[in-house]
Amino acid sequence: MSRRIIPVADARSLPPRLAADAVRAPTGEVFDALARPLRDLRISVTDRCNFRCVYCMPRAVFDKDYPFLPHSALLSLEEIERLARLFVAQGVTKIRLTGGEPLLRKNLEFLIERLAALRTVDGTPLDLTLTTNGSLLARKARALRDAGLTRVTVSLDALDDTLFRRMNDADFSVADVLGGIEAAQAVGLAPIKVNMVVKHGTNDSEIVPLARHFRGTGVTLRFIEYMDVGATNGWNMAEVLPSADVVARIAEHFALVPLDAHSAAETAQRWGYADGAGEIGTISSVTRAFCGDCTRARLSTEGKLYLCLFASMGYDLRALLRGDATDAGIASAIAQVWQQRGDRYSQLRGSADAPAASEERRIEMSYIGG
Ligand code: SAM
Ligand code: SF4
Ligand code: SF4
């Protein structure tokens, strides 16, 4: 896999060299070329994972010879904190830690402690969360909560153990993940969300069992359309089950009512059980693009800033961190990059205007996080 990386200083029409000391740090909100503010930051803390989900890290590609990042390439936890602080100063209110599997990163609790201490431009604590496959959650839930994590999202694609093991392709059991979810509930990491990627013909038989399982538990189950992210999962449209079909299948068993979104930038459409037993969500990245409200920036494990999940180019913030750039210089670089952002891949998917990014250049989900 090739990852195309643009040094921030000569990216697109940025000034050839950032005179870091001469620029004033922008404060407050920054908007992109489509008037979308920068509100969410997803930080990938590792590109490694103990699962080999067939739709994300197929074992045939992510094998023992796969060139995962060397330790020296990773941002240190202190470097991540520094960047996070600069993003927050420009309007970010929500940070999600992801990966790879974020719970594999050593001393993650230290980073969480530091991030939990940050305050938004309005002076409020961040909405700080983490997405995990749940396999290490039973062991780590309390330490994560004590460090300041407030909630967690757990991925689970099936209740059927044989099918789940086949999908994660690493012999983890459903019980491992359910144990993690219970531990997270027990220590008060709430509200818990569970994400199921629906692959038509693979695990769509699990939609109703999972809905039944989490109904009435306070856990919000969310169904994600299988996406054409990366270049290794052999995606094809026939394997996408539209969210409308997911909702119809559940509604055959439990009456559902549509609920209002919490905010414009919310990726999920919400549905409530008519009998009050909680809610589900659908994330229709393929059939109902939500680029118009996309306020998400992504920071890779090695410190590249990506403006879209489907981007093929990242901006090298690590070079600035490890050079002599001041906070003001880095903040200014982030703002300049964001102000030029026009990405809206899902909206353009399949249209004549779709970017001609060749598939092999697209970043992998395990590299940038969900
Ligand atoms: N390892 C953690 C986990 O699985 O929760 C965090 C990283 S994972 C890349 C983040 C999310 O992306 C997971 O919920 C995963 O199911 C989802 N995901 C990965 N590949 C996907 C794809 N091709 N389409 C839709 N969702 C995908
Ligand atoms: Fe690992 Fe998450 Fe990708 Fe599965 S979806 S392979 S758990 S990073
Ligand atoms: Fe945001 Fe890109 Fe996804 Fe559109 S395709 S919602 S711009 S990440």
Side-chain angles (χ1 to χ4, degrees):
M1 179 188 57
S2 65
R3 298 185 189 112
R4 195 163 153 224
I5 290 158
I6 301 182
V8 167
D10 64 8
R12 298 181 189 169
S13 57
L14 286 174
R17 196 178 148 274
L18 272 175
D21 290 328
V23 289
R24 214 163 48 84
T27 50
E29 285 196 321
V30 49
F31 293 87
D32 74 6
L34 301 175
R36 299 169 294 188
L38 172 53
R39 289 269 163 71
D40 307 70
L41 179 63
R42 297 197 174 182
I43 303 176
S44 175
V45 294
T46 177
D47 61 340
R48 291 163 197 257
C49 189
N50 51 350
F51 282 24
R52 284 294 178 272
C53 300
V54 289
Y55 52 76
C56 179
M57 296 180 81
R59 193 172 278 286
V61 177
F62 294 85
D63 60 10
K64 63 177 185 14
D65 298 323
Y66 186 81
F68 290 105
L69 295 169
H71 193 260
S72 58
L74 311 190
L75 289 188
S76 69
L77 299 179
E78 290 81 1
E79 286 172 326
I80 295 176
E81 184 212 353
R82 183 178 174 201
L83 284 181
R85 184 165 41 78
L86 298 175
F87 275 94
V88 168
Q90 291 179 69
V92 163
T93 58
K94 177 174 171 183
I95 291 185
R96 176 179 297 278
L97 300 177
T98 179
E101 174 47 43
L103 298 188
L104 290 179
R105 180 76 191 247
K106 259 171 112 176
N107 298 328
L108 189 69
E109 296 82 357
F110 167 84
L111 176 64
I112 290 173
E113 234 168 71
R114 295 292 186 92
L115 297 180
L118 297 178
R119 291 294 172 266
T120 68
V121 284
D122 296 332
T124 55
L126 290 177
D127 178 3
L128 180 60
T129 184
L130 173 151
T131 304
T132 173
N133 62 30
S135 61
L136 299 169
L137 194 53
R139 236 178 292 163
K140 300 204 168 193
R142 182 168 296 280
L144 294 169
R145 199 276 323 268
D146 290 349
L149 192 71
T150 50
R151 60 191 187 88
V152 74
T153 298
V154 182
S155 304
L156 178 63
D157 297 326
L159 264 191
D160 178 274
D161 201 54
T162 307
L163 178 54
F164 183 63
R165 285 175 196 263
R166 205 184 312 140
M167 287 189 78
N168 68 56
D169 202 13
D171 224 22
F172 282 92
S173 70
V174 172
D176 290 328
V177 181
L178 292 181
I181 294 171
E182 274 163 32
Q185 273 180 315
V187 300
L189 283 169
I192 295 179
K193 291 177 183 163
V194 169
N195 282 351
M196 171 193 185
V197 174
V198 180
K199 245 188 125 184
H200 197 189
T202 300
N203 65 338
D204 53 311
S205 57
E206 294 294 300
I207 292 168
V208 174
L210 273 164
R212 183 175 287 118
H213 182 85
F214 286 112
R215 244 174 70 81
T217 64
V219 169
T220 298
L221 177 62
R222 306 189 313 168
F223 301 91
I224 306 180
E225 287 177 352
Y226 173 41
M227 285 186 281
D228 49 338
V229 66
T232 58
N233 63 10
W235 182 90
N236 79 73
M237 189 65 198
E239 289 181 307
V240 178
L241 184 73
S243 294
D245 295 17
V246 171
V247 171
R249 287 198 196 183
I250 296 173
E252 281 174 19
H253 299 265
F254 312 106
L256 292 172
V257 288
L259 301 176
D260 289 338
H262 290 301
S263 73
E266 190 168 47
T267 50
Q269 277 182 289
R270 301 170 59 214
W271 306 85
Y273 289 113
D275 63 1
E279 67 178 83
I280 59 162
T282 51
I283 302 180
S284 317
S285 335
V286 179
T287 60
R288 184 178 162 276
F290 35 78
C291 303
D293 294 312
C294 181
T295 55
R296 285 179 293 284
R298 293 179 157 85
L299 182 64
S300 79
T301 316
E302 53 180 340
K304 309 296 180 272
L305 169 60
Y306 288 87
L307 302 177
C308 176
L309 187 52
F310 297 92
S312 48
M313 305 176 301
Y315 296 85
D316 190 359
L317 296 182
R318 190 188 62 194
L320 295 185
L321 283 172
R322 295 187 184 172
D324 59 359
T326 60
D327 282 358
I330 297 173
S332 168
I334 293 169
Q336 288 179 62
V337 167
W338 187 261
Q339 280 159 355
Q340 295 177 31
R341 174 183 188 246
D343 302 65
R344 50 188 183 113
Y345 176 86
S346 285
Q347 248 173 19
L348 300 178
R349 182 188 276 113
S351 80
D353 293 334
S358 57
E359 287 240 298
E360 68 280 6
R361 276 188 172 165
R362 265 203 225 142
I363 46 171
E364 294 297 325
M365 192 70 138
S366 55
Y367 170 70
I368 201 64

